Amino acid sequence: MKTFNIPTYYRSPIISRVKAIRSKFDKRKKDFTPTHLDFGNVEFILGRHFGFCFGVENAIEISYKAIAENPDKRIFLLSQMIHNPGVNGDLENHGIQFLQDTKGNQLIPWSEIKSDDIVIIPAFGTTIEIENKLKEIGVDTPRYNTTCPFVERVWKKSEKLGTDDYTVIIHGKDKHEETRATFSHSKAYAKSIVIRDIAEAQLLGKMILGDLAESDFLQTFAGRYSADFNFKTDLTKIGVVNQTTMLASETQEISDYLADIMLQKFGQENSKKHFANTRDTLCYATNDNQSATLALLDQKADLAIVVGGYNSSNTSHLVELCEQKFNTFYIKDEDEIKTHNVVHHFDMHKSELLESKTFIPENRPLKIILTSGASCPDATVDRVIQRILELTNTSADIELALANIKNTFNEEV
Ligand code: SF4
């Protein structure tokens, strides 16, 4: 895979070397077993895959290139580059300004943007309406467009479904930048509707079977369906796509459920004509990170730490998986670890920051599951490791810990 030129402070002395060792022994990325980074007193059990993905590195490379190439110009980002506070903060420190917040609220009026300003499109992509607005102003948007190709792939799939006369069911978070962009691109070609979860798929199922009234549809999905959507005629041929960072198992559940609804409505013979058999549109990074996290669930550990921005969709799903087995702490960086006992962490179910006063248990050796989202720099994970080693008075013989990883995989190959 292509390597990107990103600031060295996002790389890390520990995690980068761990990943290099794993890649050396698993070039085809088939082995999802965790990595044991053992410091004796404390052992970190790392997911096989985590951290910066292709789309994020691409976006970061282009953003810093825009800064370097345009020292005399104003540079704007449509919204957060990725969902990581450290990366966005660093871009702001380099003079980049955000035009909108993550929910699409305007922070700087369009009227202030001039044709010679630089506007960077983030990895999530943007809506056709915003693309057109920037074109009207005369901004050269293709120059610094960091839209991830895996997001564009979803748009293409939606277009294809629309061309074949299917309505597109988008499994995603309707306020998320990527889903707003996908909805916009999808509705240009197809009747489209955004659903959040399996509960909403079930409501849709009832509507398809005629068990719910139009008023329920209009109320439940207000603002999340395309213009002139007719819930009687536009739900007879459907296909599912998703936000690239959703939980794979939930998208599968939704697809299976809706396929079964079409079978009930149209019968075995005809159901295939009414349900497009699309595979999910998750990106490779979401699939790899979720599979690697599922492999962590086979391990025994005292706690789990997931590092990432609190508005990061892909990170939240890793937390959801870890919570199935471990006492899990979702932290944005090492600064959230206050003392041996006290940690500030995010409760994504209630959307609130919590303070826990029981963090690191006393038993030794301590085993900690550790992973991070696709927008989290490895350097941040390194600093979390260093902070825990410091709080547990563990001497960090990194060379020995890395040599042990090499020995493990040497023995296996
Ligand atoms: S998580 Fe996937 S879709 Fe999103 S930027 Fe990364 S590679 Fe692209």
Side-chain angles (χ1 to χ4, degrees):
M1 193 178 277
K2 184 181 170 192
T3 50
F4 293 93
N5 182 16
I6 65 171
T8 48
Y9 48 83
Y10 291 134
R11 306 279 186 209
S12 74
I14 305 176
I15 296 299
S16 301
R17 290 174 68 193
V18 169
K19 287 184 175 176
I21 295 168
R22 290 301 307 265
S23 301
K24 186 176 166 206
F25 293 107
D26 175 30
K27 290 200 171 64
R28 297 184 150 206
K29 302 200 322 180
K30 297 275 181 224
D31 177 6
F32 283 87
T33 55
T35 308
H36 295 259
L37 186 64
D38 193 354
F39 294 99
N41 207 22
V42 180
E43 181 183 336
F44 294 94
I45 307 172
L46 307 169
R48 167 69 178 95
H49 298 287
F50 61 90
F52 277 0
C53 58
F54 175 96
V56 164
E57 294 213 355
N58 178 50
I60 291 177
E61 180 183 88
I62 294 174
S63 301
Y64 285 91
K65 191 165 157 237
I67 293 167
E69 289 177 351
N70 300 282
D72 303 325
K73 290 195 174 180
R74 300 191 308 167
I75 306 180
F76 298 92
L77 250 161
L78 272 184
S79 64
Q80 293 190 357
M81 159 58 50
I82 53 172
H83 288 155
N84 185 274
V87 176
N88 290 314
D90 192 61
L91 290 168
E92 281 186 295
N93 290 340
H94 279 82
I96 286 188
Q97 303 174 66
F98 295 114
L99 283 173
Q100 294 188 330
D101 68 13
T102 50
K103 297 207 164 63
N105 300 310
Q106 207 67 26
L107 300 173
I108 297 172
W110 291 114
S111 56
E112 287 197 14
I113 306 303
K114 308 282 176 264
S115 58
D116 63 347
D117 287 331
I118 302 295
V119 178
I120 304 171
I121 304 208
F124 314 111
T126 193
T127 62
I128 292 178
E129 295 77 10
I130 290 179
E131 276 173 14
N132 289 342
K133 193 169 277 297
L134 289 167
K135 260 187 224 153
E136 259 170 47
I137 298 171
V139 173
D140 179 8
T141 43
R143 194 164 163 210
Y144 298 112
N145 182 354
T146 79
T147 306
C148 180
F150 294 99
V151 174
E152 286 174 334
R153 195 180 61 168
V154 184
W155 301 350
K156 284 197 189 106
K157 188 163 266 188
S158 303
E159 182 182 336
K160 172 81 175 76
L161 285 170
T163 312
D164 294 341
D165 217 17
Y166 286 93
T167 290
V168 179
I169 313 291
I170 304 165
H171 173 215
K173 298 169 183 170
D174 56 301
K175 301 271 185 302
H176 190 285
E177 292 99 317
E178 182 192 315
T179 296
R180 281 190 276 123
T182 295
F183 180 52
S184 167
H185 285 262
S186 176
K187 69 188 166 74
Y189 298 95
K191 291 290 171 68
S192 307
I193 179 167
V194 180
I195 62 168
R196 291 189 194 115
D197 49 27
I198 182 68
E200 289 198 345
Q202 284 162 350
L203 279 179
L204 210 57
K206 283 189 179 166
M207 284 160 191
I208 292 169
L209 294 178
D211 295 337
L212 275 181
E214 183 170 12
S215 55
D216 293 317
F217 174 86
L218 298 176
Q219 199 185 340
T220 308
F221 297 105
R224 292 191 275 145
Y225 52 84
S226 49
D228 304 324
F229 197 101
N230 181 324
F231 96 113
K232 286 205 178 97
T233 53
D234 291 332
L235 289 172
T236 54
K237 276 185 83 179
I238 60 172
V240 179
V241 301
N242 53 4
Q243 187 181 318
T244 55
T245 52
M246 298 307 277
L247 195 60
S249 54
E250 189 173 46
T251 300
Q252 190 58 53
E253 192 183 358
I254 286 171
S255 289
D256 292 347
Y257 170 78
L258 290 174
D260 186 59
I261 289 290
M262 295 322 244
L263 190 125
Q264 286 180 49
K265 174 133 180 145
F266 297 104
Q268 186 80 45
E269 257 178 47
N270 299 316
S271 70
K272 285 199 178 122
K273 281 188 241 149
H274 294 272
F275 186 77
N277 191 13
T278 52
R279 292 185 52 197
D280 69 49
T281 48
L282 298 169
C283 71
Y284 84 94
T286 296
N287 273 316
D288 285 355
N289 292 353
Q290 288 181 11
S291 302
T293 306
L294 285 168
L296 287 171
L297 301 188
D298 296 334
Q299 302 290 309
K300 284 198 177 129
D302 299 291
L303 68 146
I305 298 175
V306 182
V307 192
Y310 296 149
N311 55 353
S312 162
S313 171
N314 79 85
T315 313
S316 71
H317 294 308
L318 303 184
V319 173
E320 225 173 318
L321 293 176
C322 285
E323 283 177 342
Q324 290 177 16
K325 178 161 177 190
F326 305 111
N327 186 21
T328 302
F329 297 93
Y330 182 0
I331 61 172
K332 67 173 174 28
D333 56 29
E334 74 285 0
D335 289 340
E336 300 290 51
I337 303 174
K338 305 298 174 189
T339 66
H340 190 281
N341 290 325
V342 180
V343 62
H344 290 181
H345 58 106
F346 188 63
D347 181 336
M348 60 178 207
H349 308 287
K350 295 186 185 147
S351 272
E352 62 184 25
L353 273 172
L354 299 179
E355 179 178 271
S356 281
K357 294 195 169 147
T358 48
F359 181 42
I360 301 179
E362 292 306 324
N363 51 315
R364 300 289 181 273
L366 184 68
K367 288 180 188 286
I368 300 179
I369 296 286
L370 181 60
T371 190
S372 73
S375 47
C376 179
D378 285 346
T380 308
V381 178
D382 262 28
R383 290 194 296 272
V384 168
I385 290 175
Q386 299 284 11
R387 180 93 180 109
I388 299 221
L389 292 175
E390 189 185 296
L391 289 172
T392 53
N393 295 317
T394 306
S395 64
D397 191 338
I398 291 163
E399 294 309 322
L400 181 64
L402 292 172
N404 285 339
I405 298 174
K406 264 191 215 154
N407 290 341
T408 308
F409 289 99
N410 252 333
E411 278 163 20
E412 284 179 7
V413 286

